[in-house]
């Protein structure tokens, strides 16, 4: 089955859900009712599945062009990487340099290991550093997932662009197996922790890639894909329910929690591509959610700095009465922080990020 469009607005709404889940996880107590579900893992895994699906679909179509001798591998790989760099690098490195500038010129203290180990951040290896230190109090700790995604963007295009279309499913299934197998080994090691290395996340990317293949290179009908999608959801829900019922440190949870969330996420991503109907479809077609999804990258990279650094600094310049009102309760403070975050991410998108993404038109895929 071949999809007719390259843009899926309902996937932007899923990005909104993903980033809002991460924000809720970090802004509210882990013991709060709103974090009864593992919101952080849900949000990050959904992002991985979306990336696995969209990136793999782009690369599979590029491989098809290579096989038809329409373009060379060099051109496709260059265009892919430049497009990714234009989307990711400007804001990412802008934040890193901005944190250094705030400390040097504004004397703003930010709790992060960036000052001690900058190379891990600048070369997208921070996930390995965080895995070793476990310092989740670092205000840039969410950047671990950006490191994982960037590492994925380096080796995955090579694999799909150099693989004949008919062999791609075998590589994808191998990636899913490696992701699960690596977490089995991690569980057997007795660490009791989710791994942050890219290899531990391969099943989430792989599940997205597998459905990208169904939508791009398979002869499956819409109904056949929907049937596979329903089975994926059923498996995901059963495994996720089991993970919720078991102790969080059990081997089963360590192995299957991320996989179960990835399976459920894939149902949502696949359904969004086919366009959900009914009430859920109307929710995903919400212009508000679509907009939040569009600026989700900015929301993600800024969200830890807002309540701990930016808003407290901002309040030092506001009248006492306004400061007291904003800090009068957690709900008021969180609401103000979220509005502040939305404004900052919007400004970042229109005044900074979009200037670079507009250049992608010169590197078409």
């Amino acid at each position: 089955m071949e999809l007719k469009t390259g843009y899926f607005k309902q996937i932007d709404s899923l990005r909104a859900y993903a980033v809002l889940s991460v924000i809720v996880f970090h802004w509210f107590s882990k013991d709060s009712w709103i974090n009864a579900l593992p919101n952080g893992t849900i949000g990050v895994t959904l992002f991985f599945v979306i990336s696995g699906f969209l990136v793999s679909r782009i690369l599979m179509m590029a491989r098809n062009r290579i096989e038809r001798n329409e373009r060379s591998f060099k051109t496709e790989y260059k265009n892919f990487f430049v497009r990714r760099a234009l989307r990711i690098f400007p804001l990412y490195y802008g934040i890193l340099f901005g944190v250094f500038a705030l400390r040097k010129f504004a004397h703003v203290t930010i709790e992060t290991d960036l000052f001690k180990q900058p190379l891990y951040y600048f070369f997208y290896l921070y996930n390995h550093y965080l895995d070793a230190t476990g310092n989740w109090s670092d205000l840039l700790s969410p950047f671990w997932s950006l490191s994982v995604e960037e590492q994925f963007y380096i080796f995955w295009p090579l694999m799909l662009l150099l693989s004949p279309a008919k062999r791609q499913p075998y590589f994808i299934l191998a990636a899913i197996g490696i992701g699960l197998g690596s977490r089995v080994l991690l569980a057997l090691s007795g660490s009791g922790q989710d791994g942050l290395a890219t290899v531990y996340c391969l099943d989430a990317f792989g599940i997205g890639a597998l459905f990208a293949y169904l939508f791009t290179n398979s002869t499956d009908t819409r109904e056949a894909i929907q049937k596979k999608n329903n089975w994926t959801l059923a498996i995901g829900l059963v495994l996720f329910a089991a993970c919720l019922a078991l102790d969080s440190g059990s081997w089963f949870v360590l192995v299957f929690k991320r996989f179960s969330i990835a399976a459920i996420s894939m149902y949502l991503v696949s359904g969004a591509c086919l366009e959900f109907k009914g009430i859920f479809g109307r929710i995903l077609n919400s212009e508000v959610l679509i907009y939040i999804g569009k600026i989700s990258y900015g929301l993600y990279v800024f969200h830890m700095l807002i309540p701990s650094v930016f808003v407290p600094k901002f309040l030092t310049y506001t009248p006492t009465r306004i400061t007291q009102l904003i800090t009068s309760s957690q709900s008021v403070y969180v609401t103000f922080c979220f509005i502040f975050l939305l404004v900052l991410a919007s400004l970042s998108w229109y005044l900074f990020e979009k200037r670079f993404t507009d250049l992608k038109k010169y590197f078409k895929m």
Side-chain angles (χ1 to χ4, degrees), residues 40-151:
T41 304
I42 289 172
V44 169
T45 304
L46 178 52
F47 272 129
F48 287 165
V49 172
I50 291 173
S51 291
F53 176 82
L54 294 178
V55 166
S56 297
R57 181 170 175 268
I58 290 170
L59 293 170
M60 288 170 186
M61 291 189 294
R63 174 61 198 184
N64 292 342
R65 288 192 293 270
I66 293 172
E67 293 186 1
R68 295 193 299 264
N69 294 316
E70 295 175 5
R71 282 193 194 170
S72 66
F73 164 81
K74 181 180 177 180
T75 299
E76 293 289 5
Y77 185 75
K78 178 199 71 176
N79 286 359
F80 172 82
F81 197 80
V82 170
R83 287 171 65 88
R84 287 288 85 203
L86 288 170
R87 181 66 190 101
I88 297 169
F89 287 179
L91 184 58
Y92 180 84
Y93 287 111
I95 291 289
L96 297 185
F97 285 117
V99 169
F100 275 105
L102 284 173
R103 186 176 74 158
K104 183 173 179 61
F105 300 111
H107 307 293
V108 175
T109 302
I110 296 177
E111 187 174 352
T112 174
D113 290 328
L114 172 64
F115 307 120
K116 294 190 300 182
Q117 299 288 347
L119 294 183
Y120 282 100
Y121 297 79
F122 278 95
F123 288 97
Y124 282 96
L125 297 170
Y126 174 61
N127 58 320
H128 297 291
Y129 183 75
L130 181 60
D131 208 10
T133 64
N135 181 22
W136 291 97
S137 63
D138 187 329
L139 292 181
L140 299 182
S141 60
F143 281 34
W144 78 267
S145 68
L146 303 181
S147 294
V148 168
E149 293 228 17
E150 190 58 34
Q151 292 162 28

Side-chain angles (χ1 to χ4, degrees), residues 122-193:
F122 278 95
F123 288 97
Y124 282 96
L125 297 170
Y126 174 61
N127 58 320
H128 297 291
Y129 183 75
L130 181 60
D131 208 10
T133 64
N135 181 22
W136 291 97
S137 63
D138 187 329
L139 292 181
L140 299 182
S141 60
F143 281 34
W144 78 267
S145 68
L146 303 181
S147 294
V148 168
E149 293 228 17
E150 190 58 34
Q151 292 162 28
F152 173 74
Y153 294 150
I154 291 174
F155 79 87
W156 196 251
L158 293 174
M159 191 179 79
L160 289 187
L161 290 178
L162 293 173
S163 302
K166 63 183 180 181
R167 294 183 182 176
Q168 288 170 351
Y170 302 107
F171 287 108
I172 294 169
L173 290 172
I176 295 172
I178 290 170
L180 279 171
S182 65
R183 287 209 303 281
V184 170
L185 295 176
L186 183 67
L188 292 175
S189 72
S191 69
Q193 300 294 323

Side-chain angles (χ1 to χ4, degrees), residues 85-92 95 293-302 344-360:
L86 288 170
R87 181 66 190 101
I88 297 169
F89 287 179
L91 184 58
Y92 180 84
I95 291 289
K294 184 170 71 173
I295 63 170
S296 60
Y297 183 39
L299 294 173
Y300 187 85
V301 299
F302 284 121
L344 182 59
S346 297
L347 291 174
S348 172
W349 169 250
Y350 286 108
L351 300 181
F352 184 66
E353 298 168 65
K354 196 171 184 298
R355 295 178 183 270
F356 294 94
T357 59
D358 285 347
L359 299 176
K360 290 162 67 174

Side-chain angles (χ1 to χ4, degrees), residues 263-337:
I264 297 169
S265 297
M266 191 59 247
Y267 170 82
L268 296 174
V269 173
S270 180
C273 291
L274 297 173
E275 294 197 347
F276 282 109
K277 307 300 180 184
I279 295 177
F280 191 52
R282 288 196 292 273
I283 292 173
L284 292 183
N285 287 331
S286 162
E287 293 298 326
V288 174
L289 283 180
I290 292 170
Y291 178 74
I292 291 174
K294 184 170 71 173
I295 63 170
S296 60
Y297 183 39
L299 294 173
Y300 187 85
V301 299
F302 284 121
H303 81 274
M304 288 286 279
L305 297 170
I306 297 300
S308 301
V309 180
F310 291 171
V311 168
K313 188 69 174 177
F314 173 79
L315 292 179
T316 62
Y317 298 101
T318 61
T320 302
R321 184 174 297 179
I322 295 177
T323 300
Q324 291 175 340
L325 174 63
I326 292 172
T327 59
S328 61
S329 68
Q330 183 190 30
S331 59
V332 174
Y333 187 72
V334 167
T335 300
F336 181 80
C337 285

